[in-house]
Each structure stands twice: as structure tokens, then as C-alpha cells.
């Protein structure tokens, strides 16, 4: 077996390869044995063995000659979400925030230095359904979203620097912050204000306001936000009313989490 | 490497073990290294290697001393669902069925001989939110649900027998069909009627009506159903009106799939 | 100039080629000069001349390096439709038919032996929006739609035979009529009944009922129809009520046309 | 073949003539061979050849002794529209704008220096149905409509001057801007305000408010507007509320386009 040490723990090459198979099946929406073998530089018989094992374990299904991820992933994903503290305590608040603002409301957390969407709800006038549905299916960078910046603002600076080292500061629009010092200064002002904005930094014409959700001991758990067209998120509403609404929602979620922790130790 | 042959294809023991790790993490909602080692009869260092590799591949996160499945599974699951032909063509029909009936509406398919929930929507008076949410996270048997029986009715009898061989006919209530011949007779009458019922066969006090969704060449793709309390699903409504509504929904979904295939070849 | 005689009239090769350019631009959604030259077996400079001339005449626009049909076609198309006698006298009837039936209502005519959609309106429960939108952009065969068969039933048999000679009787489902004698017998019974049905002959799960619209001297001008899922278009409704509704709509349209002709000669 | 050079590319006289035939058929709503020959200064046999070729290619139909454009143009036109980025991303916004304002809402773009209507929807109180339906069938000048001026305001001044050179500044009412310097000053103030008005410049008694739709890199793609009677479009509503509503609609359309571009590169 071809393994190598990572820190103190070894990595299992065969397991890593199996994860690559899963990733390839998702990216290509189903592959044949030959295509998979070529994509991952495996022998055909080896590719077949990976697929066969994942199929026996019900993570993969075969349709005709192609292999696809099974609906087991939907079960696993829903299970992960239902147990997530932010979903448990934040879902109803996000529902209400979408209703109050009429725009898209989002709940997310950081995992592996990337933004992970946990839950999203379109309000009555929400724009970008297709976009947000597409985003839901892949992680995104943290430095150009209001939620991502709200989270970054409450991580240790060494962690922020390490995330930027890993992923860089990809430019999405002319307003994206692509300089580390500028980002660190922005994070400082987010901490002072209590909320973050995405001022057309991801998409031209779209703004967002996000606030961090923190545990009782100050650790950042994720963030909540509202996004919408710049023509509606402007003036007083953008600079005052909406930030207060979003921070209130973060606070309500935090309080719910803290009460649940407290009731466990009653 | 310790492999064995399955049919013509080999199974990779290490990959199978990685799948067991994923399953264990889901079942126990997070485990420590020692607990995992004991659960899967691995050495501690080996357990650590599995977890470490899955973490590097972003399928697992570590919180304190315990390991959990990551939100990557939610992304993978949503991706699988969005590409599923029944979700693409059936989602809006299920939404409408929930609205018309006021009860819980379900869309499912069979995978590996088990029922897989694809989408569910509570109508205005729907009961059993927690139950259906829990079900959504694990596959279920086919022989006691209206959707499961609607699907079984359109599989080859050899496949039905093989599924029953694998999983048995578990009894859930006094009404569950637990005899193979009785089940085969029931499937025959489902084919004749065009729909299946779950008459308190899964849960006392809950009935359901389901209809199969089939492709243009007759292959069964899944099923659609409505479930609700026996006090509301009774008499004329249960025996006539609701079955027609559910069969109409199945027909609309089938027609939408067929039209999408047809428009590709215009 | 490379021309040939057709009947008594000559065909202009250069004009025919220009029509091919238009067709290619529509089919490929924009092409570059080289791609067009290859597709039509022209020299690059010749392809460029065709595109340049059509652009000068405003039928083509250039975006970057590719050429596309211009919105002039939308103007021309709307102009053709607004002057069409069936649109002028049938539009409001089709609107009403969609409202009464709740299904998709269609108005069409035959041109060059193919079905041409003139106008379509979705009713409240209509299914197949994407399909009907796609169909709207290309002509279809006559022998498997209710409108097409209603029209064929009132053409001379020699013309029916000539259309079948040109296009064949393409099979779309197991119910499509693919035998000329069977088709002629069906047309006979359509003439007797006064309406035509499409009983899952185009799409599995979809039925339609259509009636011809004829001028005062008996010439068939087109047809009007309602299409919907088989589960709703069945029994009494499919065999009696809907045919009467569709024939009434055809009659109202015919009367409106006849009154307009009559008023011209008052 | 009688060709001439245009810039670097040649123009094909025969193709240009075919386009003239199409234009003549549209303008006169059908012509006979003799009439066409006279209109275009062709020999009768030549006119016949043009008509015959276009008929073979299904762009023309013959009714009795006259030739007409076929419904193929409706297919081609709908196809062009469905692929237009403004229709894809702006249609639902125009629908909503018509509903909110109760007036006629319009979506247009510029092609060949003229205004091209892409989509229009009458609101509940909309006036001018016949007028807007007629306009839909022919391009119009840019300098007297709110959408046209909104687009002109974001073209290069050299392009504006070239368009004015080609078409002049035709007077429609006493309020039409017919002086180039006045127009350039107006465009400057449109850029500052963010929207354009048509203050009875096209039709006495009718006002309109339009806003440009621009791509992420600032290129103007088209415009969106609301038109209605001066008695309703006045005071606060005309000067403040409606402009904000129209600019918001432009922004939502722009954001939808930008999100669709962004999701392609996620």
C-alpha cells in the first residue's frame, strides 16, 4: 500500500483515490469505466474495482454503462444538516428573515477555509434562484461574500492568512478585495461595526449584508445574511435598517444556541 | 491488499472500510478515534489514518476530539438530486399535490432494493413532520409503503423475490404484508388498479396512496404518493378521489419526462 | 449563375444558398465565417459575402466574431402572424378555450406539408410549457397531432399521399399511425366525427382533441386543439365534452371569418 | 454576377435582391408576380424565379395568385428571441413591471442604429394596444423614445453621431428633440440621472420612463421602460416613484445576467 505521513497521521492512498472517484462522478454527472480510468490514471480493472466497491456500499449506482453517485448522498447530506447546530437553531430565523426582507436569506459556515451553504430561502422578491441553487452545490471562497467576511473577521489572523495562502484572493468583480492588507483592514472594521457587506464584490448589481453567529465563548460558528439587487439595498435601508435586521437574526440564533447549551447543564 | 472477487469485479477492502467509516460517523453523529477503532475492529493508528484521509479530502471535519461528516455531503446530495430525472420533472407536481391534498406528498425511487426519498412537501394539514424528516435520512423497505409497493408492482417478479430474499418482509404493524405470496397477489391487484395503498401497514393511523411513474418504454422510475391520517383518508376520498389525483400527478410527471425526451429529437 | 428549372420557374442557386445561410445561423445559434464555409461547402470569401449582404440588409447581426439572425425576424414573424386570418379571427377563441379547459390550447395551419403553430396559450393546469415552446420554433409532421390529422382529413387524397411521400410516417410512440391505409381510414372517420384525436400518438401520456377550421367554400384553413395529460383527458370528457368544446371553438372562428368576408361584400 | 465591394467584403447583388423581395412581401402583405417585377424593376421571369426559390426554401407561400411570407418567419423570430440574453433574463421582470405599474412595459435593444422591440406586456390599465402591436412589427428611431435615449446615452458619441447621420432626427411631436447638440446634452443628463424620459416626444399625451441595461463591463445591452398617459404619469410618480421602479427592474435584469455569467465560472 502506497501511503505517506501527514503530520503525525498517515494518508491511505486507496481511500484518497476512492474520494477522487466520488469527486469525478459528481463533476462529470456519471462516467463509464474507461473514462474514469483515464481521468484518474488508473488501470481499467482498478477503476472497475473502485466503482464496484462503492456500488456494493450503495454510494454508487449503475445506469446502463455509466456510474453515478447514489441518492445515499442526499440522505447523508440531510443527516449532516439536521444535526448542524446552525440549522437546528437558525432555520426558523432564516425563514423569517427572508419573509421580512423579501430578499434571499442565507445561513452558512466555514469548512476547510471555504464557504459552505447550510440553508437558503428566497423571499417574495428574491432574485438569482438559479445562481443560488448552483452555488448550493459547490463551496465558494470567503473573501467576497458578506457571510464569508463576517466569519473571517472572527477567525485568528494566522488562520485568515493561511486560508488566503491556500486559495488566494480571486477577483470576481472590480470591487472584490484582492489585497491581503486591504482585507485585514476590512475585517477590522467589520468587527467594529458588527456586520459585513458585500458591495457588488461577487456579482455586479448585487449587494448583501451579513452578520456572524458566535458561540457563548466567542468562537464563530457561521453567519447569516440577506442578498439582493443594489437598487433595493441602498441608502438608509442598506446602511442601517437591514444591518440591524440581520444582526438581530444572528443574535436570536446565538441566543437559541446558548439557551440549549444552558438547558443541558440545568 | 486484501481483496476478493464479486462477480467479475474485485472489491477493494480498504475502500469498503472507508465506506464503513462514513456509515459509522453518520450513525453515531461523530466519533473519537478510539471509539471508531473499536466499532470497526481496527487498530487506533489505522482508524486515525482513515479519518485523516477523509478529512484531507474534505468529507470529514474534526470538532474537538470527535470526527463528523462534513457539509460536503449536503453539496453532493443536492447535486445528485438536481440531476435526478424525477426531481427535475416531478418537483412542481409534488408541490401542487401537497397543496391540493393538504397532506404530505412524496416522490421516491428504488435504489439497491430500498426506498429512497427524493423530495417531500408538507401540505397545509400535513402530519408527521418529524417522522418524515427522519425517514428522509435513511432508506426504508419497499413492502409496506404505497410508493414502495407501486414500484415493486412494476419490477420483474425475479427482482421482487430477490429483494425480499435480501431484506425479508419486516412487520411494522398488524397490517404489514409479511407473506411473499400475499405480497405478489397484492402487486397483481396494484397493476390492475393502477395505484397502491398503504393501509396502516407502516404506521397505525396513517394511510397513503401511491402511483408508479414509468418511462415511455414501461420501465418503472419511481413513485409519487400522498400520506395522511386515516380519519381524513377514508371513504370516497381514499378509494376514489385521492387515487385519481395521485395517478394524475404520476401521469403529468411521466408526460413531462416524455416531452423532454421528445423535444430533444424534434 | 447556376440555375435549374422547377416546373416552369427557375430556381436561383444564390438565393437558395442565402436561405441555407439563414437556416444554418438558426440551427447553430450563430456561426463564424469559417464554420459557415465548411457547413455549406463554400469558400471562406464567399461565406463572408453572403453574411455581409444579409447584414447590410439587417437580417443578420455580428457579435464578436460570430454572426446571428437579427431581431428583424421577430418583426417579420409577428407581421406574418398578425395578418394571418386564423390569428385575426381565432386568437380570442383560443384564449377562451385555454381558460375553459385549463389545458394547453393551440391554433395551427399547414404549410408546405408541415404543421405550423400560429398561436398557443397555456391554461391554468397546462403541462409541457418547455415542450410547446420548443415546438413553436420548428415545424412538425401532421400525421400524429390532432390538429394535423384534422387538417389532413380535409385535404385532397392526392395531396395527403404526396405529403406522406415527402415526409414519410415517422413513428413517435407505439400509437403513432405509420401505415398509409390506416391513416386514410382514420381521416375518413375524422371527417365523419367532425374532430380528430391524438391518443398518445406523439407523446406517451398526452392526448389532444382537434377540429378543423374551414372557409365558407369548404377549404381547410387550419385547426384548433386542446392537449393535456391522459389522466385528465379521459372517459366522458375526452370522448364527448371536450370534442364539443373544441368543435364549438372551430365553429366560432369559422363564423367570424365568414362574417368578415360577408361584410366586405355588403 | 453583379457584385460590389463593401469595406473588405463583397455584397452579392442576387442576395440583396432576395432580401428586397422579402421586404416587399412584408410591406405590401402579399404581391403578384407582375406587381413584384414592377416594384423591384425586375423582369417578370426573374421575379418569378426569386419567388419560386424562396417558396422552395419555405420562406414564401402562394395563395391564389399572390405570394406571402410564410409562418417560417414566426419560427425564426421566436427562435431569435428565445436566445436573446435580454429576453432570457428580462422577461419575468417586464411581466412584473407591467403588473406593478398597470401600464405598458417594454424591453428593447438597438440593432443597426434602430430600436428593436424584444418583448412588451400590457398592464391592467395599459393604453395603446394597437399602436404597440404595430410598432412591434417595425423598427423605430432611437431619439424620441425613453428606451432609445437610454441606450444612446451609453453608446460612444461617435456612434451616436453616425446613427443621427444615417437616420436624421425625425420630428414626431413638437417635443421631439431634433437638434444634435440638444440631444447630446440630453444624453449627458440621462447618464447623470440614470434614466431617460419620453415626455410626449413620440406621441402627444403619452409619456415613458426608461432605464438602460448594461453588462458587467459597462456595455449597454438594451433598455426597459414603462409608457402611459400623461395624466397618470405625472408629478411625484413620474419624477420619482416610476423612475426608481424602472431602474430597479433594469438592475434586477442586469444582476440576473451577471449571476448567470458568474455561475458558469463557479
Amino acid at each position: 500500500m502506497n501511503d505517506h505521513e501527514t503530520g503525525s497521521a498517515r494518508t491511505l492512498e486507496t481511500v484518497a483515490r476512492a474520494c477522487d472517484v466520488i469527486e469525478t462522478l459528481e463533476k462529470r454527472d456519471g462516467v463509464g469505466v474507461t473514462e474514469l480510468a483515464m481521468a484518474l490514471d488508473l488501470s481499467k480493472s482498478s477503476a472497475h474495482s473502485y466503482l464496484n466497491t462503492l456500488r456494493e456500499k450503495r454510494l454508487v449506482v449503475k445506469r446502463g454503462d455509466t456510474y453515478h453517485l447514489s441518492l445515499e448522498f442526499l440522505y447523508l447530506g440531510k443527516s449532516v444538516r439536521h444535526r448542524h447546530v446552525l440549522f437546528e437553531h437558525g432555520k426558523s430565523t432564516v425563514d423569517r428573515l427572508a419573509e421580512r426582507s423579501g430578499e434571499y436569506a442565507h445561513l452558512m459556515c466555514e469548512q476547510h477555509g471555504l464557504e459552505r451553504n447550510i440553508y437558503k430561502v428566497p423571499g417574495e422578491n428574491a432574485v438569482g434562484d438559479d445562481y443560488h441553487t448552483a452555488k448550493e452545490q459547490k463551496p465558494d471562497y470567503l473573501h467576497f461574500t458578506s457571510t464569508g467576511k463576517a466569519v473571517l473577521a472572527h477567525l485568528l489572523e494566522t488562520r485568515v492568512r493561511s486560508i488566503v495562502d491556500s486559495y488566494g484572493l480571486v477577483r470576481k468583480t472590480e470591487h472584490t478585495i484582492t489585497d491581503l492588507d486591504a482585507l485585514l483592514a476590512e475585517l477590522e472594521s467589520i468587527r467594529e461595526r458588527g456586520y459585513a457587506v458585500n458591495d457588488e464584490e461577487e456579482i455586479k448589481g448585487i449587494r448583501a449584508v451579513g452578520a456572524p453567529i458566535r458561540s457563548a465563548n466567542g468562537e464563530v460558528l457561521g453567519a447569516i445574511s440577506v442578498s439582493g439587487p443594489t437598487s433595493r439595498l441602498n441608502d438608509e435601508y442598506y446602511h442601517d435598517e437591514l444591518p440591524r435586521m440581520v444582526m438581530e437574526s444572528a443574535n436570536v440564533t446565538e441566543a437559541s444556541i446558548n439557551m440549549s447549551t444552558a438547558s443541558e447543564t440545568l
Side-chain angles (χ1 to χ4, degrees), chain A residues 88 97-98 107 121 139 141 183 237 242 251 257:
Chain A
E88 188 185 347
L97 188 55
L107 184 65
V121 187
Y141 302 115
L183 180 63
Y237 183 68
L242 185 57
N251 172 234
I257 294 171

Side-chain angles (χ1 to χ4, degrees), chain A residues 91-122:
Chain A
K91 180 185 180 296
S92 60
T93 305
V94 175
D95 287 337
R96 193 143 175 275
L97 188 55
E99 202 183 315
R100 282 171 77 189
S101 67
E103 308 286 355
Y104 243 111
H106 309 268
L107 184 65
M108 59 71 75
C109 73
E110 173 265 336
Q111 275 187 357
H112 308 103
L114 294 168
E115 165 149 331
R116 296 282 185 177
N117 203 307
I118 295 169
Y119 186 60
K120 64 176 175 59
V121 187

Side-chain angles (χ1 to χ4, degrees), chain A residues 38-107:
Chain A
M38 292 210 312
L40 298 182
D41 199 17
L42 296 168
S43 70
K44 246 183 93 166
S45 94
S46 185
H48 199 184
S49 297
Y50 277 101
L51 290 168
N52 195 55
T53 311
L54 290 168
R55 202 177 158 205
E56 283 211 342
K57 289 296 185 176
R58 295 182 189 156
L59 293 177
V60 163
V61 290
K62 190 179 180 184
R63 292 191 208 120
D65 285 337
T66 58
Y67 294 80
H68 303 257
L69 297 186
S70 80
L71 281 161
E72 180 72 19
F73 283 97
L74 187 58
Y75 286 79
L76 292 169
K78 293 245 173 164
S79 168
V80 169
R81 180 161 84 172
H82 265 86
R83 286 162 175 174
H84 201 288
V85 66
L86 287 186
F87 186 75
E88 188 185 347
H89 295 281
K91 180 185 180 296
S92 60
T93 305
V94 175
D95 287 337
R96 193 143 175 275
L97 188 55
E99 202 183 315
R100 282 171 77 189
S101 67
E103 308 286 355
Y104 243 111
H106 309 268
L107 184 65

Side-chain angles (χ1 to χ4, degrees), chain A residues 98 101-105 121-129 132 206 227-229 232:
Chain A
S101 67
E103 308 286 355
Y104 243 111
V121 187
E124 201 182 358
N125 309 313
V127 298
D129 225 46
H132 291 301
I206 294 288
S227 66
R232 285 202 299 258

